[in-house]
């Protein structure tokens, strides 16, 4: 199927909601199509996630012509009781890379004994 990202099997450490939010933090005017490709999700899944994030106040958008510009509320507290007191900004500081550190393929550090 054209346009459907390659699926991922197995579990991951990061949720799709966090992945979408981090992608938007990297580019506040990213298109849903680009977010979906980056996160390996369908466009429909990304639309649902953005709707969830907007409904709970983590994200808002302004329509500028045909483009959406997103705004993230960095002070919003994470939802799960285990992360009580942690903010979106603290989560994004772990997930969003500085442009200077970005490479096409992630570096893998060898474990030290």
């Amino acid at each position: 199927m054209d346009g459907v990202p390659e699926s991922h099997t197995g579990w991951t450490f990061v949720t799709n909601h966090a992945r979408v939010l981090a992608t938007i933090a990297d580019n506040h005017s990213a298109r849903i199509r680009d977010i979906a490709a980056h996160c390996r999700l369908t466009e429909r899944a990304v639309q649902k996630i953005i709707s969830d994030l907007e409904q709970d106040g983590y994200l808002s958008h302004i329509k500028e012509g045909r483009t959406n510009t997103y705004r993230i509320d960095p002070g919003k507290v994470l939802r799960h009781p285990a992360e009580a007191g942690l903010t979106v900004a603290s989560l994004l500081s772990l997930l969003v890379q500085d442009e200077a550190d970005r490479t096409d393929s992630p570096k893998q550090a060898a474990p030290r004994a």
Side-chain angles (χ1 to χ4, degrees):
M1 258 188 242
D2 205 23
V4 176
E6 180 183 328
S7 64
H8 173 80
T9 57
W11 63 276
T12 64
F13 283 102
V14 179
T15 67
N16 289 337
H17 282 66
R19 234 178 244 113
V20 167
L21 197 61
T23 303
I24 289 171
D26 268 344
N27 179 358
H28 290 278
S29 58
R31 298 178 309 167
I32 287 179
R33 173 179 295 168
D34 298 331
I35 297 167
H38 180 78
C39 296
R40 299 176 117 189
L41 299 169
T42 64
E43 290 179 33
R44 185 177 179 124
V46 171
Q47 288 172 331
K48 172 69 171 116
I49 289 168
I50 288 173
S51 175
D52 290 345
L53 293 170
E54 285 185 318
Q55 185 175 6
D56 287 346
Y58 290 92
L59 187 66
S60 61
H61 75 275
I62 298 171
K63 190 103 170 135
E64 296 174 348
R66 295 181 69 201
T67 304
N68 286 326
T69 300
Y70 297 98
R71 184 189 160 283
I72 296 170
D73 183 351
K76 187 88 170 158
V77 190
L78 301 181
R79 292 170 41 122
H80 196 280
E83 290 92 35
L86 291 177
T87 63
V88 168
S90 62
L91 173 67
L92 292 176
S93 71
L94 297 171
L95 298 177
V96 178
Q97 300 175 349
D98 287 332
E99 199 59 36
D101 297 335
R102 188 175 306 282
T103 60
D104 288 342
S105 59
K107 295 178 184 175
Q108 294 199 2
R112 295 188 183 249

